[in-house]
Amino acid sequence: MNTMGVITVKRSQRHDKDTENNFCMLLYPITPLDNVKSVSGAGDCFTSGFIYGMISKLNEQQCVTVGFEAAKAALNSMNTVPHDFKISDVPKEAYCKRLV
């Protein structure tokens, strides 16, 4: 399976007539895992981690990082949702690539 990561899309923050319909797209690439035990629940765990980050008032990059960590925990578990999450310190900045 070839997965690139997560893409976020939002309207441009600039407010002028040239950017009225422009969007900002960012790609947050993943680091492939070697020993995936099960893919079941990984998407739900990513979403839950991302939402947890939003509720905790983290920035977008930090939210994606928390989501990645939660998904990684699910991928390394035979349970759909792992019993324990051990999320490392969330960096202030995560690597992302501007697409537009």
Coordinates of all heavy atoms in Angstrom, one line a residue:
M1 N 0.8 -1.2 0.0 CA 0.0 0.0 0.0 C 0.9 1.2 0.0 O 1.8 1.4 0.8 CB -0.9 0.0 1.2 CG -1.8 1.1 1.3 SD -3.1 0.9 2.5 CE -2.4 1.3 4.0
N2 N 0.6 2.2 -0.9 CA 1.4 3.4 -1.0 C 0.6 4.6 -0.5 O -0.3 5.0 -1.1 CB 1.8 3.6 -2.5 CG 2.8 4.8 -2.6 OD1 3.2 5.4 -1.6 ND2 3.1 5.1 -3.8
T3 N 1.0 5.1 0.7 CA 0.2 6.2 1.3 C 1.2 7.4 1.4 O 2.3 7.2 1.8 CB -0.3 5.8 2.7 OG1 -1.1 4.6 2.5 CG2 -1.1 6.9 3.3
M4 N 0.7 8.5 1.0 CA 1.6 9.7 1.0 C 1.5 10.5 2.4 O 2.4 11.1 2.8 CB 1.1 10.7 -0.1 CG 1.4 10.1 -1.5 SD 0.9 11.2 -2.8 CE 1.7 12.7 -2.4
G5 N 0.4 10.4 3.0 CA 0.2 11.2 4.3 C -1.2 11.8 4.3 O -2.1 11.2 3.9
V6 N -1.2 13.0 4.9 CA -2.5 13.8 5.0 C -2.3 15.1 4.3 O -1.3 15.8 4.4 CB -2.7 14.0 6.5 CG1 -3.9 14.9 6.7 CG2 -3.0 12.7 7.2
I7 N -3.4 15.5 3.6 CA -3.4 16.8 3.0 C -4.5 17.6 3.6 O -5.7 17.1 3.8 CB -3.8 16.7 1.5 CG1 -2.6 15.9 0.7 CG2 -4.0 18.0 0.8 CD1 -2.9 15.6 -0.7
T8 N -4.2 18.8 4.0 CA -5.2 19.7 4.6 C -5.5 20.8 3.5 O -4.6 21.2 2.8 CB -4.7 20.4 5.9 OG1 -3.5 21.1 5.6 CG2 -4.5 19.4 7.0
V9 N -6.7 21.2 3.4 CA -7.1 22.2 2.4 C -7.9 23.3 3.2 O -8.8 23.0 3.9 CB -8.0 21.6 1.3 CG1 -8.4 22.7 0.3 CG2 -7.3 20.5 0.6
K10 N -7.6 24.6 3.0 CA -8.3 25.7 3.6 C -8.2 26.9 2.6 O -7.4 27.0 1.8 CB -7.9 26.0 5.0 CG -6.4 26.3 5.1 CD -6.0 26.5 6.5 CE -4.5 26.6 6.6 NZ -4.0 26.4 7.9
R11 N -9.2 27.8 2.8 CA -9.1 29.0 2.0 C -7.9 29.8 2.4 O -7.5 29.8 3.5 CB -10.4 29.9 2.3 CG -11.6 29.3 1.6 CD -12.7 30.4 1.5 NE -13.9 29.8 0.9 CZ -14.1 29.7 -0.4 NH1 -13.2 30.1 -1.2 NH2 -15.2 29.2 -0.8
S12 N -7.4 30.6 1.4 CA -6.3 31.4 1.7 C -6.6 32.5 2.7 O -7.7 32.9 2.8 CB -5.9 32.1 0.3 OG -4.8 33.0 0.6
Q13 N -5.6 32.8 3.5 CA -5.8 33.8 4.6 C -5.8 35.2 4.0 O -6.3 36.2 4.7 CB -4.7 33.7 5.7 CG -4.8 32.4 6.4 CD -6.1 32.3 7.2 OE1 -6.6 33.3 7.8 NE2 -6.6 31.1 7.3
R14 N -5.3 35.4 2.8 CA -5.2 36.8 2.2 C -6.6 37.2 1.7 O -7.3 36.4 1.2 CB -4.2 36.8 1.1 CG -2.8 36.6 1.6 CD -1.8 36.5 0.5 NE -2.1 37.3 -0.7 CZ -1.5 37.1 -1.9 NH1 -0.6 36.2 -2.1 NH2 -1.8 37.9 -2.9
H15 N -6.9 38.4 1.9 CA -8.2 38.9 1.5 C -8.1 40.0 0.4 O -8.1 41.2 0.7 CB -9.0 39.5 2.7 CG -9.2 38.5 3.8 ND1 -10.1 37.5 3.6 CD2 -8.6 38.3 5.0 CE1 -10.1 36.7 4.7 NE2 -9.2 37.2 5.6
D16 N -7.9 39.6 -0.8 CA -8.0 40.5 -1.9 C -8.6 39.8 -3.1 O -8.9 38.6 -3.1 CB -6.6 41.1 -2.3 CG -5.6 40.0 -2.6 OD1 -5.9 39.0 -3.3 OD2 -4.4 40.1 -2.2
K17 N -8.9 40.6 -4.1 CA -9.7 40.0 -5.2 C -9.0 38.9 -6.0 O -9.6 38.0 -6.5 CB -10.1 41.1 -6.2 CG -9.0 41.8 -6.9 CD -9.5 42.8 -7.9 CE -8.3 43.3 -8.7 NZ -8.6 44.2 -9.8
D18 N -7.6 38.9 -6.0 CA -6.9 37.9 -6.7 C -6.8 36.6 -5.9 O -6.5 35.5 -6.5 CB -5.4 38.4 -6.9 CG -5.4 39.6 -7.8 OD1 -6.3 39.7 -8.7 OD2 -4.4 40.4 -7.7
T19 N -7.1 36.6 -4.6 CA -7.0 35.3 -3.8 C -8.4 34.9 -3.3 O -8.5 34.0 -2.5 CB -6.1 35.5 -2.6 OG1 -6.6 36.5 -1.8 CG2 -4.7 35.8 -3.1
E20 N -9.5 35.5 -3.8 CA -10.8 35.2 -3.3 C -11.1 33.8 -3.3 O -11.7 33.2 -2.4 CB -11.8 36.0 -4.1 CG -13.2 35.9 -3.6 CD -14.2 36.8 -4.3 OE1 -13.8 37.9 -4.7 OE2 -15.3 36.3 -4.5
N21 N -10.8 33.0 -4.4 CA -11.1 31.6 -4.5 C -9.9 30.7 -4.4 O -9.9 29.6 -4.8 CB -11.9 31.4 -5.8 CG -13.2 32.0 -5.8 OD1 -13.9 31.9 -4.8 ND2 -13.6 32.6 -6.9
N22 N -8.8 31.3 -3.9 CA -7.6 30.5 -3.7 C -7.6 29.6 -2.5 O -8.2 30.0 -1.5 CB -6.3 31.3 -3.7 CG -6.0 31.9 -5.1 OD1 -6.5 31.4 -6.1 ND2 -5.2 32.9 -5.2
F23 N -7.0 28.5 -2.5 CA -6.9 27.6 -1.4 C -5.4 27.3 -1.0 O -4.6 27.4 -1.9 CB -7.6 26.3 -1.7 CG -9.0 26.4 -1.9 CD1 -9.6 26.6 -3.2 CD2 -9.9 26.3 -0.9 CE1 -10.9 26.8 -3.4 CE2 -11.3 26.4 -1.1 CZ -11.8 26.7 -2.3
C24 N -5.2 27.0 0.2 CA -3.9 26.6 0.7 C -4.0 25.1 1.0 O -4.8 24.7 1.8 CB -3.6 27.4 2.0 SG -2.1 26.9 2.8
M25 N -3.1 24.4 0.3 CA -3.1 22.9 0.5 C -1.7 22.6 1.0 O -0.7 23.0 0.5 CB -3.4 22.2 -0.8 CG -4.8 22.4 -1.3 SD -5.2 21.3 -2.6 CE -4.2 21.8 -3.9
L26 N -1.7 21.8 2.1 CA -0.4 21.3 2.7 C -0.5 19.8 2.8 O -1.5 19.2 3.1 CB -0.3 21.9 4.1 CG -0.2 23.4 4.3 CD1 -0.1 23.8 5.8 CD2 1.1 23.9 3.6
L27 N 0.7 19.2 2.5 CA 0.9 17.8 2.6 C 1.8 17.5 3.8 O 2.8 18.1 3.9 CB 1.6 17.2 1.3 CG 2.1 15.8 1.4 CD1 0.9 14.8 1.6 CD2 2.9 15.4 0.2
Y28 N 1.3 16.7 4.7 CA 2.0 16.2 5.8 C 2.4 14.8 5.5 O 1.6 13.9 5.7 CB 1.2 16.3 7.1 CG 0.9 17.7 7.5 CD1 -0.3 18.3 7.0 CD2 1.7 18.4 8.4 CE1 -0.6 19.6 7.4 CE2 1.3 19.7 8.7 CZ 0.2 20.3 8.3 OH -0.1 21.6 8.6
P29 N 3.7 14.5 5.1 CA 4.1 13.2 4.7 C 4.2 12.3 5.9 O 4.5 12.7 7.0 CB 5.4 13.4 3.9 CG 5.9 14.7 4.5 CD 4.7 15.5 4.9
I30 N 4.1 11.0 5.7 CA 4.3 10.0 6.7 C 5.6 9.3 6.6 O 6.2 9.3 5.6 CB 3.2 9.0 6.7 CG1 3.2 8.2 5.4 CG2 1.8 9.6 7.0 CD1 2.4 6.9 5.4
T31 N 6.0 8.7 7.7 CA 7.2 7.8 7.7 C 6.6 6.4 7.7 O 5.9 6.0 8.6 CB 8.1 8.0 8.9 OG1 8.5 9.4 9.0 CG2 9.3 7.1 8.9
P32 N 6.8 5.6 6.6 CA 6.3 4.2 6.6 C 6.7 3.4 7.8 O 7.8 3.5 8.2 CB 6.8 3.7 5.3 CG 7.2 4.9 4.5 CD 7.6 5.9 5.4
L33 N 5.8 2.5 8.2 CA 6.1 1.6 9.3 C 6.4 0.2 8.7 O 5.8 -0.2 7.8 CB 4.9 1.5 10.3 CG 4.4 2.7 11.0 CD1 3.2 2.5 11.8 CD2 5.5 3.3 11.9
D34 N 7.4 -0.4 9.4 CA 7.8 -1.8 8.9 C 6.9 -2.9 9.4 O 6.6 -3.8 8.6 CB 9.2 -2.0 9.3 CG 10.2 -1.1 8.6 OD1 10.0 -0.8 7.4 OD2 11.3 -0.8 9.2
N35 N 6.5 -2.8 10.6 CA 5.8 -4.0 11.2 C 4.3 -3.6 11.6 O 4.0 -3.5 12.8 CB 6.5 -4.5 12.5 CG 7.9 -5.0 12.1 OD1 8.1 -5.7 11.1 ND2 8.9 -4.6 12.9
V36 N 3.5 -3.4 10.6 CA 2.1 -3.1 10.9 C 1.4 -4.4 11.3 O 1.4 -5.4 10.6 CB 1.4 -2.5 9.6 CG1 -0.1 -2.3 9.8 CG2 2.1 -1.2 9.3
K37 N 0.7 -4.3 12.5 CA 0.0 -5.5 13.0 C -1.5 -5.5 12.4 O -2.0 -6.6 12.1 CB 0.0 -5.5 14.5 CG 1.4 -5.7 15.1 CD 1.3 -5.7 16.6 CE 2.8 -5.9 17.1 NZ 2.8 -5.7 18.5
S38 N -2.1 -4.4 12.3 CA -3.5 -4.3 11.8 C -3.8 -2.9 11.4 O -3.4 -2.0 12.1 CB -4.5 -4.8 12.9 OG -5.8 -4.6 12.5
V39 N -4.5 -2.7 10.3 CA -4.9 -1.4 9.8 C -6.3 -1.0 10.4 O -6.7 0.2 10.2 CB -4.9 -1.3 8.3 CG1 -3.5 -1.5 7.8 CG2 -5.9 -2.2 7.6
S40 N -7.0 -1.9 11.0 CA -8.3 -1.7 11.5 C -8.3 -0.6 12.6 O -7.6 -0.8 13.6 CB -8.9 -3.0 12.0 OG -10.2 -2.8 12.4
G41 N -9.0 0.4 12.4 CA -9.1 1.5 13.4 C -8.1 2.6 13.3 O -8.2 3.6 14.0
A42 N -7.2 2.5 12.4 CA -6.1 3.6 12.3 C -6.7 4.9 11.8 O -6.3 5.9 12.4 CB -5.0 3.1 11.3
G43 N -7.6 4.9 10.9 CA -8.3 6.2 10.5 C -9.1 6.8 11.6 O -9.0 8.0 11.8
D44 N -9.8 6.0 12.3 CA -10.6 6.5 13.4 C -9.6 7.1 14.5 O -9.9 8.2 15.1 CB -11.5 5.5 14.1 CG -12.6 5.0 13.1 OD1 -13.0 5.8 12.2 OD2 -13.1 3.9 13.3
C45 N -8.5 6.4 14.8 CA -7.6 6.9 15.8 C -6.9 8.2 15.3 O -6.7 9.1 16.1 CB -6.5 5.8 16.1 SG -7.2 4.5 17.1
F46 N -6.6 8.3 14.0 CA -6.0 9.5 13.5 C -7.0 10.7 13.7 O -6.6 11.7 14.2 CB -5.7 9.5 12.0 CG -5.3 10.8 11.4 CD1 -4.0 11.2 11.5 CD2 -6.2 11.6 10.8 CE1 -3.6 12.5 11.1 CE2 -5.8 12.9 10.4 CZ -4.5 13.3 10.5
T47 N -8.3 10.5 13.3 CA -9.3 11.5 13.4 C -9.5 11.9 14.9 O -9.5 13.1 15.2 CB -10.6 11.0 12.8 OG1 -10.4 10.7 11.5 CG2 -11.7 12.1 12.9
S48 N -9.5 11.0 15.8 CA -9.7 11.3 17.2 C -8.5 12.1 17.7 O -8.7 13.0 18.5 CB -9.8 10.0 18.0 OG -10.9 9.3 17.6
G49 N -7.3 11.7 17.3 CA -6.1 12.4 17.7 C -6.1 13.9 17.2 O -5.8 14.8 17.9
F50 N -6.5 14.0 16.0 CA -6.6 15.3 15.4 C -7.6 16.2 16.1 O -7.3 17.4 16.4 CB -6.9 15.2 13.9 CG -6.8 16.5 13.1 CD1 -5.7 16.9 12.5 CD2 -7.9 17.4 13.1 CE1 -5.6 18.1 11.8 CE2 -7.8 18.6 12.4 CZ -6.7 19.0 11.8
I51 N -8.8 15.7 16.4 CA -9.8 16.4 17.1 C -9.3 16.7 18.5 O -9.6 17.8 19.0 CB -11.1 15.6 17.1 CG1 -11.7 15.6 15.7 CG2 -12.1 16.3 18.1 CD1 -12.9 14.7 15.5
Y52 N -8.7 15.8 19.2 CA -8.1 16.1 20.5 C -7.2 17.3 20.4 O -7.2 18.2 21.3 CB -7.4 14.8 21.0 CG -6.6 15.1 22.3 CD1 -7.2 15.2 23.5 CD2 -5.2 15.4 22.2 CE1 -6.5 15.5 24.7 CE2 -4.5 15.7 23.4 CZ -5.2 15.8 24.6 OH -4.5 16.1 25.7
G53 N -6.3 17.3 19.4 CA -5.4 18.5 19.2 C -6.2 19.8 19.1 O -5.8 20.8 19.6
M54 N -7.3 19.7 18.3 CA -8.1 20.9 18.1 C -8.7 21.4 19.4 O -8.7 22.6 19.7 CB -9.2 20.7 17.0 CG -8.6 20.5 15.6 SD -9.9 20.0 14.5 CE -11.0 21.5 14.5
I55 N -9.3 20.5 20.1 CA -9.9 20.8 21.4 C -8.8 21.4 22.4 O -9.1 22.3 23.2 CB -10.6 19.6 22.0 CG1 -11.8 19.2 21.2 CG2 -11.0 19.8 23.5 CD1 -12.4 17.9 21.5
S56 N -7.6 20.9 22.3 CA -6.5 21.3 23.1 C -5.9 22.6 22.6 O -4.9 23.1 23.1 CB -5.4 20.3 23.2 OG -6.0 19.1 23.8
K57 N -6.5 23.2 21.6 CA -6.0 24.5 21.0 C -4.6 24.4 20.4 O -3.8 25.4 20.5 CB -6.1 25.6 22.0 CG -7.6 25.8 22.4 CD -7.7 27.1 23.3 CE -9.0 27.3 23.8 NZ -10.2 27.1 23.1
L58 N -4.2 23.2 19.9 CA -2.9 23.1 19.2 C -3.1 23.6 17.8 O -4.2 23.7 17.2 CB -2.5 21.6 19.1 CG -2.4 20.9 20.5 CD1 -2.0 19.4 20.2 CD2 -1.3 21.6 21.3
N59 N -1.9 24.0 17.2 CA -2.0 24.5 15.8 C -2.2 23.3 14.8 O -2.1 22.1 15.3 CB -0.8 25.3 15.4 CG 0.5 24.5 15.4 OD1 0.6 23.4 15.0 ND2 1.6 25.2 15.9
E60 N -2.5 23.6 13.6 CA -2.8 22.5 12.6 C -1.7 21.4 12.6 O -1.9 20.3 12.5 CB -3.0 23.1 11.2 CG -3.2 22.1 10.2 CD -3.4 22.7 8.8 OE1 -4.5 23.2 8.5 OE2 -2.4 22.6 8.0
Q61 N -0.4 21.9 12.5 CA 0.7 20.9 12.4 C 0.8 20.0 13.6 O 1.0 18.8 13.5 CB 2.0 21.7 12.2 CG 2.1 22.4 10.9 CD 3.3 23.3 10.7 OE1 4.0 23.5 11.7 NE2 3.5 23.7 9.5
Q62 N 0.5 20.6 14.8 CA 0.5 19.8 16.0 C -0.7 18.8 16.0 O -0.5 17.7 16.4 CB 0.5 20.7 17.2 CG 1.8 21.5 17.4 CD 1.6 22.5 18.5 OE1 0.6 23.2 18.5 NE2 2.7 22.7 19.3
C63 N -1.8 19.2 15.5 CA -3.0 18.4 15.5 C -2.7 17.2 14.6 O -3.1 16.0 14.9 CB -4.2 19.1 14.9 SG -4.9 20.4 16.1
V64 N -2.1 17.4 13.4 CA -1.7 16.3 12.5 C -0.7 15.4 13.2 O -0.9 14.2 13.1 CB -1.2 16.9 11.2 CG1 -0.6 15.8 10.3 CG2 -2.3 17.6 10.4
T65 N 0.2 15.9 13.9 CA 1.2 15.1 14.6 C 0.6 14.2 15.6 O 0.9 13.0 15.7 CB 2.3 16.0 15.2 OG1 3.0 16.7 14.2 CG2 3.3 15.1 16.0
V66 N -0.4 14.7 16.4 CA -1.1 13.9 17.4 C -1.9 12.9 16.7 O -1.9 11.7 17.1 CB -2.0 14.8 18.3 CG1 -2.8 13.9 19.2 CG2 -1.1 15.7 19.1
G67 N -2.5 13.2 15.6 CA -3.3 12.2 14.8 C -2.4 11.1 14.3 O -2.8 9.9 14.3
F68 N -1.2 11.5 13.8 CA -0.3 10.5 13.3 C 0.1 9.5 14.4 O 0.2 8.3 14.2 CB 1.0 11.1 12.7 CG 0.8 11.6 11.3 CD1 1.7 12.5 10.8 CD2 -0.2 11.2 10.4 CE1 1.6 13.0 9.5 CE2 -0.3 11.6 9.1 CZ 0.6 12.5 8.6
E69 N 0.4 10.1 15.6 CA 0.8 9.2 16.7 C -0.3 8.3 17.1 O 0.0 7.1 17.4 CB 1.3 10.1 17.9 CG 2.6 10.9 17.6 CD 3.8 10.0 17.5 OE1 3.9 9.0 18.3 OE2 4.6 10.2 16.6
A70 N -1.5 8.8 17.1 CA -2.6 7.9 17.5 C -2.8 6.8 16.5 O -3.1 5.6 16.8 CB -3.9 8.7 17.6
A71 N -2.7 7.1 15.2 CA -2.8 6.1 14.1 C -1.7 5.1 14.2 O -1.9 3.9 14.0 CB -2.8 6.8 12.7
K72 N -0.5 5.6 14.5 CA 0.7 4.7 14.6 C 0.4 3.7 15.7 O 0.7 2.5 15.6 CB 1.9 5.5 14.9 CG 3.2 4.6 14.8 CD 4.5 5.3 15.2 CE 4.6 6.8 14.7 NZ 5.8 7.4 15.2
A73 N -0.2 4.1 16.8 CA -0.5 3.2 18.0 C -1.5 2.2 17.5 O -1.3 1.0 17.9 CB -1.0 4.0 19.1
A74 N -2.5 2.6 16.7 CA -3.4 1.6 16.2 C -2.8 0.6 15.3 O -3.1 -0.6 15.3 CB -4.6 2.3 15.5
L75 N -1.9 1.1 14.4 CA -1.3 0.2 13.4 C -0.3 -0.8 14.1 O -0.1 -1.9 13.6 CB -0.5 1.0 12.4 CG -1.3 1.9 11.5 CD1 -0.4 2.9 10.7 CD2 -2.1 1.0 10.5
N76 N 0.2 -0.5 15.3 CA 1.1 -1.3 16.0 C 0.3 -2.2 17.1 O 0.9 -2.8 17.9 CB 2.1 -0.5 16.7 CG 3.2 0.0 15.7 OD1 3.6 -0.7 14.8 ND2 3.6 1.2 15.9
S77 N -1.0 -2.3 17.0 CA -1.8 -3.0 17.9 C -2.8 -4.0 17.2 O -3.2 -3.6 16.1 CB -2.7 -2.0 18.7 OG -3.6 -2.7 19.5
M78 N -3.1 -5.1 17.8 CA -4.1 -6.0 17.2 C -5.5 -5.5 17.5 O -6.4 -6.0 16.9 CB -3.8 -7.4 17.7 CG -2.6 -8.1 17.1 SD -2.6 -8.1 15.2 CE -3.9 -9.1 14.9
N79 N -5.6 -4.6 18.5 CA -6.9 -4.1 18.8 C -7.3 -3.0 17.9 O -6.4 -2.2 17.4 CB -6.9 -3.5 20.2 CG -6.6 -4.6 21.3 OD1 -7.2 -5.7 21.2 ND2 -5.8 -4.3 22.2
T80 N -8.6 -2.8 17.6 CA -9.0 -1.7 16.7 C -8.6 -0.4 17.3 O -8.1 0.5 16.6 CB -10.5 -1.8 16.5 OG1 -10.9 -3.1 16.0 CG2 -11.0 -0.7 15.6
V81 N -8.8 -0.2 18.6 CA -8.4 1.0 19.3 C -7.5 0.5 20.4 O -7.9 -0.3 21.3 CB -9.6 1.8 19.9 CG1 -9.1 3.0 20.7 CG2 -10.5 2.2 18.8
P82 N -6.2 0.9 20.4 CA -5.3 0.4 21.4 C -5.7 0.8 22.9 O -6.4 1.9 23.0 CB -4.0 1.2 21.1 CG -4.1 1.6 19.7 CD -5.6 1.8 19.5
H83 N -5.4 0.0 23.8 CA -5.8 0.3 25.2 C -5.0 1.5 25.8 O -5.5 2.2 26.6 CB -5.6 -0.9 26.1 CG -6.4 -2.1 25.7 ND1 -7.8 -2.1 25.9 CD2 -6.2 -3.3 25.1 CE1 -8.3 -3.2 25.4 NE2 -7.4 -3.9 24.9
D84 N -3.8 1.6 25.4 CA -2.9 2.7 25.9 C -2.3 3.5 24.7 O -1.9 2.9 23.7 CB -1.7 2.2 26.7 CG -2.2 1.5 28.0 OD1 -3.1 2.1 28.6 OD2 -1.7 0.4 28.3
F85 N -2.3 4.8 24.9 CA -1.6 5.7 23.9 C -0.5 6.4 24.6 O -0.6 6.9 25.7 CB -2.6 6.8 23.4 CG -3.6 6.3 22.5 CD1 -4.9 6.1 22.9 CD2 -3.3 6.1 21.1 CE1 -5.9 5.7 22.0 CE2 -4.2 5.7 20.2 CZ -5.5 5.4 20.7
K86 N 0.7 6.3 24.0 CA 1.8 7.0 24.6 C 2.3 7.9 23.5 O 3.1 7.6 22.6 CB 2.9 6.0 24.9 CG 2.5 4.9 26.0 CD 3.6 4.6 26.9 CE 3.3 3.5 27.9 NZ 2.1 3.5 28.5
I87 N 1.8 9.1 23.5 CA 2.1 10.1 22.5 C 3.3 11.0 23.1 O 3.2 11.5 24.1 CB 0.9 11.0 22.2 CG1 -0.2 10.1 21.6 CG2 1.3 12.1 21.3 CD1 -1.5 10.8 21.2
S88 N 4.3 11.0 22.3 CA 5.5 11.8 22.7 C 5.2 13.3 22.7 O 4.1 13.7 22.2 CB 6.7 11.5 21.8 OG 6.3 11.7 20.4
D89 N 6.1 14.1 23.1 CA 5.9 15.5 23.1 C 5.6 15.9 21.7 O 6.3 15.5 20.7 CB 7.2 16.2 23.6 CG 7.4 16.0 25.1 OD1 6.4 15.8 25.8 OD2 8.6 16.1 25.5
V90 N 4.6 16.8 21.6 CA 4.2 17.3 20.2 C 5.1 18.4 19.9 O 5.2 19.4 20.6 CB 2.7 17.7 20.2 CG1 2.3 18.2 18.9 CG2 1.8 16.5 20.6
P91 N 5.8 18.3 18.7 CA 6.7 19.4 18.3 C 5.9 20.6 17.9 O 4.7 20.5 17.5 CB 7.4 18.9 17.1 CG 6.6 17.8 16.6 CD 5.8 17.2 17.8
K92 N 6.5 21.8 18.1 CA 5.8 23.1 17.7 C 5.6 23.1 16.2 O 4.6 23.7 15.7 CB 6.5 24.3 18.2 CG 6.5 24.4 19.7 CD 7.0 25.8 20.1 CE 7.1 25.9 21.6 NZ 5.9 25.9 22.3
E93 N 6.5 22.6 15.5 CA 6.4 22.6 14.0 C 6.6 21.1 13.5 O 7.5 20.4 13.9 CB 7.4 23.5 13.4 CG 7.3 24.9 13.8 CD 6.0 25.6 13.3 OE1 5.6 25.3 12.2 OE2 5.5 26.4 14.1
A94 N 5.8 20.7 12.6 CA 5.9 19.4 11.9 C 6.3 19.7 10.5 O 6.0 20.8 9.9 CB 4.6 18.6 12.0
Y95 N 6.9 18.7 9.9 CA 7.3 18.9 8.5 C 6.1 18.9 7.6 O 5.2 18.0 7.7 CB 8.3 17.8 8.0 CG 8.5 17.8 6.5 CD1 9.3 18.8 6.0 CD2 8.0 16.9 5.7 CE1 9.6 18.9 4.6 CE2 8.2 17.0 4.3 CZ 9.0 18.0 3.8 OH 9.2 18.1 2.5
C96 N 5.9 19.8 6.7 CA 4.8 19.8 5.8 C 5.3 20.4 4.5 O 6.3 21.2 4.5 CB 3.6 20.5 6.3 SG 3.8 22.3 6.6
K97 N 4.6 20.2 3.4 CA 5.0 20.6 2.1 C 3.8 21.4 1.5 O 2.7 20.8 1.4 CB 5.4 19.5 1.2 CG 5.8 19.8 -0.2 CD 6.1 18.6 -1.0 CE 6.5 18.9 -2.4 NZ 6.8 17.7 -3.2
R98 N 4.0 22.6 1.1 CA 3.0 23.5 0.6 C 2.7 23.0 -0.9 O 3.6 22.9 -1.7 CB 3.4 24.9 0.6 CG 2.3 25.8 0.1 CD 2.7 27.3 0.2 NE 1.6 28.2 0.5 CZ 1.0 28.4 1.6 NH1 1.5 27.7 2.7 NH2 0.0 29.2 1.8
L99 N 1.4 22.6 -1.2 CA 1.1 22.1 -2.5 C 0.6 23.2 -3.4 O 0.8 23.2 -4.6 CB 0.0 21.0 -2.4 CG 0.5 19.8 -1.6 CD1 -0.7 18.8 -1.5 CD2 1.6 19.1 -2.3
V100 N -0.1 24.2 -2.8 CA -0.6 25.3 -3.6 C -0.4 26.6 -2.8 O -0.6 26.6 -1.6 CB -2.1 25.2 -3.9 CG1 -2.7 26.4 -4.6 CG2 -2.3 24.0 -4.9

